[in-house]
Amino acid sequence: MDLLAALRAHRLLAIVRGNDPDAALKTVLTLAEEGVTLIEVSLTGHGALDVIAQARAALGPGATLGAGTVLSADDAHAAHRAGAAFLVTPALGEGVATGRDLGLPVLAGVMTPTDILQAQRMGAQALKLFPAGSAGGPGYLRDLRAPFPDLPFVPVGGVDAPAAAAYLAAGAVAVGVGSPLVADAAAGGGLAALRERAREFLDVVREEPAP
């Protein structure tokens, strides 16, 4: 898949992490029903690989379903076998290079300009600015875009709806959103509230003009 094109087109990456595999699967499927096209299932969640495999079977081969928190080569191989179409890493480790070798696009975790240059050398298709809130928020993204104006940044970490709008206005290609969107749904919480939050975030990303 062309991860960068998907990020530019949809602008919202949902991050699902939960300790209840059945609830996590329902969360993924509910998000997809609401029109959230890009969904990442974090490997730190209980039974995450099974969730990816079941979601892949339910959503079909064309779904833009990925695996997150990919740290090692083993993580990358396992995610690939489960049906992940892309990988997301919190940092620049073996998962990035292995994903590239497997033919999977990688959203690689970066924080500093040095990280950014290394991620480019490793073949990352897009750059996960993480943890974005701790790094200084939209202002830090603007600072990074001065020397790197054409690179695709995806802020992740503490991104609620107002922050999503601010990051997109600052030039982010997309935003990655975990608990402000998913909340307790992946642990068995209400799906009706999840649908409302999904619609709120979709409204935000649709309103902000593309950089």
Side-chain angles (χ1 to χ4, degrees):
M1 64 166 290
D2 187 337
L3 177 60
L4 181 53
L7 290 167
R8 285 178 170 150
H10 302 292
R11 312 194 74 194
L12 173 64
L13 170 65
I15 302 166
V16 176
R17 178 187 294 108
N19 58 11
D20 182 335
D22 290 336
L25 177 61
K26 290 176 182 176
T27 298
V28 171
L29 299 181
T30 299
L31 288 168
E33 287 172 3
E34 289 300 322
V36 179
T37 301
L38 283 160
I39 303 173
E40 163 197 339
V41 178
S42 171
L43 295 187
T44 58
H46 185 64
L49 292 170
D50 288 337
V51 172
I52 293 170
Q54 293 177 60
R56 171 62 64 206
L59 297 174
T64 46
L65 177 69
T69 324
V70 176
L71 298 174
S72 66
D74 287 345
D75 287 342
H77 282 288
H80 186 225
R81 289 193 297 270
F86 63 93
L87 306 180
V88 183
T89 74
L92 301 176
E94 292 180 348
V96 179
T98 304
R100 178 199 61 207
D101 293 344
L102 290 169
L104 295 176
V106 180
L107 173 59
V110 300
M111 175 64 78
T112 68
T114 300
D115 293 342
I116 291 166
L117 292 176
Q118 185 178 352
Q120 286 187 287
R121 287 194 295 267
M122 295 175 75
Q125 200 169 84
L127 305 169
K128 170 184 171 180
L129 183 60
F130 175 79
S134 300
Y140 184 58
L141 174 61
R142 289 190 185 93
D143 290 343
L144 286 177
R145 291 191 71 240
F148 304 109
D150 299 321
L151 296 187
F153 290 99
V154 181
V156 177
V159 181
D160 59 13
Y167 280 117
L168 293 170
V173 69
V175 290
V177 185
S179 57
L181 169 58
V182 173
D184 63 350
L191 296 180
L194 174 65
R195 291 182 186 277
E196 291 180 5
R197 292 189 298 271
R199 292 166 190 164
E200 178 186 11
F201 274 96
L202 287 170
D203 285 344
V204 168
V205 301
R206 288 165 181 161
E207 287 171 2
E208 286 298 325

